[in-house]
Amino acid sequence: IFNEIMEVINHDGYNQITPIIKVADYCNFTCDFCRYPNNPNKSLMPFSTFRTIVEKACNYNISNGNYQLSIIFHGGEPLLWGYENFTFAIELQKELIQKYPKLVFRNSIQTNGVLLNDRWIDFLSENNFDIGISIDGPEEVNFHKGPTGNKIVLENIHKLSQKDCKFGILSVITNAHAGWADKYYDFLVEHNIHSVGFCYCMYNEETKITVSNKILTDFLKRFFIRFFEGEYQLNVREFDNVFRLCLGLHIG
């Protein structure tokens, strides 16, 4: 199975793999840092391929005594794979659980959030998905170029919050975030976002980099002060990883 179809996280010492399955090879966004806007191959993964990946991953984990499989639905924009395929994916998991009663699935999805609606949100909530939304903060610093800006994405984030879905955001930090750490923190509080991960230094054809070391350092330092001194309950992936390393714990 090639990288264009699937990536694998191999948990050394934990005898398990986590497939990152790219179910859609295109996207409805046109972000500068991403290869998908210029990708002529607008294809969706056949369900038979998805089944093969999941069954092989299950067999590998179970053969190593691990009865858990975490699946990350990715893309492109994974919701383009379609509601029917996602329902088939859940039915496949139920089928495998019947075969291996101790088997536990954990499902995650990384989406830009525009295609979410009540039907999708109910489905993701009912099937206990961890949901990641790609948004970079307030409109002025948002690097993800969607058809309506932040408006629909934020409306859907509010719906996720009302449904008590497990969700967080993933943000690309760029030079536009210079001096915005306080406003970014306030943005999270305003929209009831309690989990965030940062991405930076993404490849760009013209600049080769999207954020300078100084701007990134200043942003992270100021944001950490707000995070540390604030009373708002917030999980920051990068800070959590540093804390774990300092304590000698596994990063997972």
Side-chain angles (χ1 to χ4, degrees):
I1 299 169
F2 297 101
N3 244 2
E4 286 72 17
I5 297 175
M6 182 185 77
E7 295 175 358
V8 171
I9 300 174
N10 189 1
H11 301 275
D12 293 336
Y14 286 78
N15 297 321
Q16 64 171 300
I17 58 174
T18 296
I20 305 174
I21 307 178
K22 302 178 182 181
V23 293
D25 198 36
Y26 67 105
C27 187
N28 53 344
F29 272 29
T30 56
C31 307
D32 292 337
F33 59 84
C34 185
R35 70 179 178 87
Y36 284 107
N38 299 316
N39 181 17
N41 179 29
K42 299 186 182 301
S43 62
L44 300 174
M45 176 179 285
F47 188 78
S48 58
T49 303
F50 178 87
R51 172 184 281 273
T52 299
I53 293 170
V54 172
E55 288 178 343
K56 286 183 178 293
C58 274
N59 290 338
Y60 178 87
N61 285 2
I62 290 171
S63 68
N64 285 283
N66 192 300
Y67 281 79
Q68 177 174 295
L69 181 64
S70 298
I71 298 174
I72 302 174
F73 292 82
H74 218 279
E77 170 49 51
L79 293 181
L80 292 170
W81 199 43
Y83 188 86
E84 185 177 41
N85 276 327
F86 273 87
T87 60
F88 288 162
I90 296 302
E91 289 304 313
L92 171 61
Q93 293 178 12
K94 292 177 181 178
E95 176 187 322
L96 289 167
I97 289 171
Q98 281 190 329
K99 185 176 180 181
Y100 306 106
K102 293 194 295 182
L103 185 60
V104 176
F105 283 94
R106 290 188 59 188
N107 294 303
S108 304
I109 186 169
Q110 186 65 37
T111 172
N112 58 46
V114 164
L115 297 178
L116 288 173
N117 53 31
D118 290 339
R119 186 189 191 201
W120 271 116
I121 291 171
D122 286 342
F123 172 84
L124 297 173
S125 176
E126 289 166 6
N127 292 289
N128 208 30
F129 271 72
D130 289 320
I131 305 160
I133 304 291
S134 300
I135 188 170
D136 310 319
E139 187 74 44
E140 294 89 337
V141 297
N142 191 28
F143 201 42
H144 283 84
K145 294 184 178 178
T148 59
N150 280 17
K151 184 176 183 295
I152 291 180
V153 179
L154 289 176
E155 289 174 356
N156 287 329
I157 282 176
H158 294 159
K159 289 179 182 179
L160 290 172
S161 183
Q162 290 167 359
K163 289 280 186 177
D164 290 326
C165 292
K166 294 183 295 183
F167 79 94
I169 68 170
L170 199 61
S171 295
V172 177
I173 305 303
T174 71
N175 284 334
H177 285 78
W180 276 76
D182 287 299
K183 291 180 180 178
Y184 181 93
Y185 181 90
D186 294 338
F187 168 86
L188 300 179
V189 176
E190 177 186 355
H191 296 289
N192 200 30
I193 297 166
H194 292 275
S195 180
V196 61
F198 296 135
C199 300
Y200 27 80
C201 299
M202 302 289 289
Y203 185 79
N204 181 283
E205 287 289 346
E206 294 181 0
T207 65
K208 306 299 182 188
I209 197 168
T210 61
V211 63
S212 72
N213 288 336
K214 183 179 187 310
I215 289 175
L216 176 60
T217 300
D218 290 345
F219 176 88
L220 291 175
K221 285 168 61 178
R222 179 58 194 164
F223 187 82
F224 181 81
I225 291 171
R226 292 294 305 274
F227 163 82
F228 186 75
E229 296 180 348
E231 297 181 357
Y232 186 68
Q233 185 177 357
L234 181 64
N235 174 268
V236 183
R237 181 184 63 183
E238 285 65 34
F239 297 165
D240 186 54
N241 287 344
V242 171
F243 298 152
R244 286 177 173 273
L245 284 172
C246 291
L247 295 171
L249 301 175
H250 172 70
I251 297 177

